[in-house]
Amino acid sequence: MNELLIMLLFLIAAFISIFVGTIAGFGTSTILLPIALVFVDFKSALVLVAITHLAGNSGAATFFRHGLDKRLILLFGIPSVILTVFGAYIVIYIPQNILTTLLGIALLVFSIYSFKKPEFKVNASKINTILGGSLSGFLQGFMGIGGPLRGSFLISYGLDKTTYIATLAAVAVLIDLARIPVYFSTNLLDFQFYYYIPPLIVIGIIGSFTGKKVVTKIPQNTFKKIILLAIGVASLLLIYSGIYPFINSLI
């Protein structure tokens, strides 16, 4: 396939993933990582998706900055950053399939239960917030995907859509700033893909701005249902990606 066409398809996928990710508060990595793996190796995909993730969430945090919750950002963000670095360092040592499948099952159960019990909320205590930040941070560094878990924790707190998106985006930026230097220091990104970086940053800003325009028109109740649906879809993708190698080995 022509190299320019590959890059164009990758950038289109990046825009769509950031647009969806801005609306849902997560999803950029969940959508883009499997697509990136069609074009590049896993380690290079992990870095390119992380850069796209950083650009999109930087835009979202800026465009929704009036909804930032500093307490949640600190309690959720600090443990996320610490565990992200740990996860990023061990990514080359531990197989991911089992953890991916278990995470997908847990998120699927959460989304179905929350749909059936719309009044369900999790107490936004320090322990719950630190736990959520730690788990999602580790998974972001280790698997490149932690947003669905962050979204599950924060949407269950009953946050309004602006606070939800702004806080998730700010935490995601902190996580990305922690893990991306680790990825580069361990030479995960093949040098031939460095020229993808500038256009991905531009796409990140455009995609998050477009998503912001849509979010402002969505009612709060509808917004929560969209998030739960997105978590359900993400969980199915995680389950599939976790069990596919096993099924493929049997064929």
Side-chain angles (χ1 to χ4, degrees), residues 193-210:
F193 299 118
Y194 272 59
Y195 71 95
Y196 276 58
I197 295 175
L200 284 175
I201 293 173
V202 174
I203 288 292
I205 296 171
I206 296 173
S208 59
F209 179 77
T210 307

Side-chain angles (χ1 to χ4, degrees), residues 174-190:
L174 293 175
I175 290 174
D176 290 334
L177 290 175
R179 67 179 172 134
I180 289 175
V182 177
Y183 292 158
F184 277 104
S185 70
T186 52
N187 299 312
L188 291 188
L189 181 63
D190 193 307

Side-chain angles (χ1 to χ4, degrees), residues 31 51 72 82 97-98 115 130 141 148 174 196 219 236 239 249:
I31 295 171
I51 291 169
L72 274 180
I82 295 172
N97 295 341
I98 295 177
F115 256 117
I130 291 172
L174 293 175
Y196 276 58
L236 293 175
I239 293 170
S249 66

Side-chain angles (χ1 to χ4, degrees), residues 60-225:
T62 301
F63 300 136
F64 291 93
R65 59 188 177 276
H66 52 286
L68 291 171
D69 186 318
K70 294 179 180 178
R71 175 183 173 274
L72 274 180
I73 291 171
L74 289 174
L75 289 177
F76 211 89
I78 292 176
S80 287
V81 169
I82 295 172
L83 270 292
T84 293
V85 173
F86 176 66
Y89 270 116
I90 68 171
V91 70
I92 59 175
Y93 300 110
I94 300 177
Q96 302 168 333
N97 295 341
I98 295 177
L99 188 59
T100 301
T101 304
L102 291 176
L103 174 63
I105 293 171
L107 290 175
L108 182 60
V109 171
F110 167 80
S111 62
I112 293 173
Y113 182 80
S114 297
F115 256 117
K116 290 186 175 182
K117 301 281 187 179
E119 72 282 359
F120 171 71
K121 288 184 180 181
V122 173
N123 181 23
S125 64
K126 285 185 179 181
I127 294 177
N128 287 340
T129 305
I130 291 172
L131 177 63
S134 299
L135 286 174
S136 63
F138 171 74
L139 293 173
Q140 192 76 61
F142 179 57
M143 297 166 47
I145 297 173
L149 187 59
R150 284 196 298 275
S152 299
F153 268 90
L154 294 185
I155 198 65
S156 65
Y157 286 177
L159 303 177
D160 67 83
K161 60 185 180 181
T162 301
T163 302
Y164 169 83
I165 293 174
T167 303
L168 268 179
V171 171
V173 168
L174 293 175
I175 290 174
D176 290 334
L177 290 175
R179 67 179 172 134
I180 289 175
V182 177
Y183 292 158
F184 277 104
S185 70
T186 52
N187 299 312
L188 291 188
L189 181 63
D190 193 307
F191 187 75
Q192 65 176 311
F193 299 118
Y194 272 59
Y195 71 95
Y196 276 58
I197 295 175
L200 284 175
I201 293 173
V202 174
I203 288 292
I205 296 171
I206 296 173
S208 59
F209 179 77
T210 307
K212 187 244 183 184
K213 290 293 186 182
V214 174
V215 167
T216 55
K217 299 178 182 179
I218 301 175
Q220 179 66 30
N221 288 338
T222 303
F223 178 78
K224 183 173 182 178
K225 291 178 181 178

